[in-house]
Amino acid sequence: MTAVGGLAVARGLRVARLADVSGAMALEALMGTPAAFDSRIHEVRPHSGQMACAAHLLELLAGSEIREAHREHDSRVQDAYCLRCMPQVHGAVRDVLGHVQDVLEIEAGSATDNPLVFPETTGGGTVISGGNFHGAPLAYAFDYAAIALTDLGSITERRIDRLLNPDINEGLPAFLSRDPGLSSGFMIAQIVSAALINECQVLSHPSSTGSIPTDGGKEDHVSMGMTGAIKLRQIVEHAERIVGIELMCAAQGLEFRRPLKSSVRVEQAYKAVRGVVARLEQDRVLSTDIDALAEAVRAGVFDAWGG
């Protein structure tokens, strides 16, 4: 349980940081503003993850030509939540996963056998039967991580939809298609992300509240922590795909803003995306691209920009 859950949490932390990268790329494609990431906002609500995420986003976006192109005479007052509130959401996910890591580290260095033998200073020892085997600390932590990562996927999917929806994508072609109306572009990719989120929403139902007695009533309250660990692993795999979809869509969106360039770091991340998947010129099966980007996320291809 500890091994399965621990690996899932480590992968989840990577996804949480890479969501900053894909979110920054989406914000640029949508010609959003980094004003909401100003450190003064976050210093008066000093959650550590929120402050770290805001600083990371400012670093990613520094020096963008796209930003300068619409600094003046922009009728918009502020961006939608999925863009403006990235520090508050992505940062909270970081904090949750940081807490879960702390729980795992304590568990990894703990004695969980039963009974436990405590040596006496005068020789011999004391054998005590207890309950350190009970998985409640881990089970609660896995459920907590599952909820946070599901919400990370949810805000990411909202940015994907915003990139594709011609009513709200700031002049980008419908579904980021070069030939909208005849080609569906990334429509199916957004549908995939919505389906993955729906599955995550089901999987994030807590397993730790579902104790069922076993062993003739002796084990009358159990954690169901292994169920939580397995569900968490599935949620992380879905989150990797959803972030991959955002990277793919945001990269295409940036291309429609040419000749304007984004920041140095966002452009580097864009080139990394193009090193994995080609630009969508006409409709093609996207499952291969989605799987390739999810594997690239998992393999650390984008870690240089992950903060």
Side-chain angles (χ1 to χ4, degrees):
M1 176 171 64
T2 304
V4 172
L7 181 59
V9 171
R11 286 168 58 183
L13 275 167
R14 168 178 276 155
V15 171
R17 289 180 171 87
L18 294 185
D20 293 355
V21 180
S22 63
M25 194 180 294
L27 181 134
E28 286 283 87
L30 290 163
M31 303 190 82
T33 172
F37 311 145
D38 189 305
S39 61
R40 291 169 293 186
I41 293 173
H42 307 285
E43 286 166 358
V44 296
R45 195 195 191 196
H47 295 291
S48 59
Q50 178 177 327
M51 292 191 295
C53 178
H56 186 209
L57 287 165
L58 286 177
E59 179 188 7
L60 288 167
L61 294 163
S64 165
E65 290 180 8
I66 295 174
R67 167 57 179 154
E68 294 307 316
H70 66 93
R71 185 181 289 274
E72 304 293 336
H73 311 298
D74 193 327
S75 62
R76 295 170 295 172
V77 176
Q78 54 194 0
D79 290 320
Y81 282 13
C82 65
L83 299 170
R84 187 182 359 144
C85 299
M86 283 191 283
Q88 289 79 8
V89 179
H90 296 191
V93 174
R94 288 192 192 198
D95 286 342
V96 168
L97 295 177
H99 166 71
V100 174
Q101 272 200 326
D102 289 343
V103 172
L104 285 163
E105 287 174 6
I106 292 171
E107 186 73 10
S110 297
T112 57
D113 292 333
N114 185 58
L116 289 170
V117 180
F118 296 90
E120 302 290 350
T121 56
T122 56
T126 303
V127 179
I128 306 176
S129 181
N132 274 1
F133 52 81
H134 199 287
L138 292 173
Y140 300 156
F142 295 152
D143 284 344
Y144 194 19
I147 291 167
L149 284 165
T150 295
D151 199 47
L152 180 71
S154 178
I155 195 172
T156 303
E157 184 278 328
R158 288 292 80 205
R159 292 192 298 267
I160 294 167
D161 178 71
R162 188 162 286 269
L163 284 163
L164 307 186
N165 187 335
D167 294 332
I168 53 177
N169 69 1
E170 304 300 330
L172 293 170
F175 305 107
L176 299 175
S177 170
R178 292 180 63 85
D179 195 11
L182 294 177
S183 299
S184 61
F186 290 103
M187 180 193 299
I188 298 302
Q190 188 268 330
I191 291 171
V192 170
S193 66
L196 291 172
I197 281 298
N198 181 251
E199 188 170 337
C200 288
Q201 289 166 342
V202 173
L203 290 168
S204 64
H205 180 87
S207 59
S208 59
T209 57
S211 174
I212 299 173
T214 59
D215 194 22
K218 179 64 71 175
E219 298 173 359
D220 60 348
H221 184 274
V222 294
S223 71
M224 301 298 179
M226 193 66 217
T227 304
I230 292 170
K231 293 194 302 94
L232 176 59
R233 181 172 61 186
Q234 292 176 272
I235 288 170
V236 170
E237 289 174 356
H238 291 348
E240 290 166 343
R241 282 183 169 82
I242 294 165
V243 168
I245 291 170
E246 182 175 31
L247 286 167
M248 180 170 63
C249 294
Q252 186 101 347
L254 281 181
E255 291 171 341
F256 284 110
R257 299 302 183 190
R258 300 300 190 218
L260 293 174
K261 293 286 187 73
S262 183
S263 65
V264 171
R265 292 180 67 77
V266 169
E267 291 291 339
Q268 289 171 341
Y270 158 79
K271 289 178 182 176
V273 173
R274 282 290 168 258
V276 179
V277 299
R279 176 187 174 93
L280 185 66
E281 299 289 353
Q282 58 187 9
D283 283 354
R284 64 176 184 249
V285 175
L286 294 175
S287 58
T288 302
D289 292 347
I290 293 169
D291 286 344
L293 279 166
E295 180 54 38
V297 168
R298 194 174 304 125
V301 170
F302 302 101
D303 283 3
W305 305 279

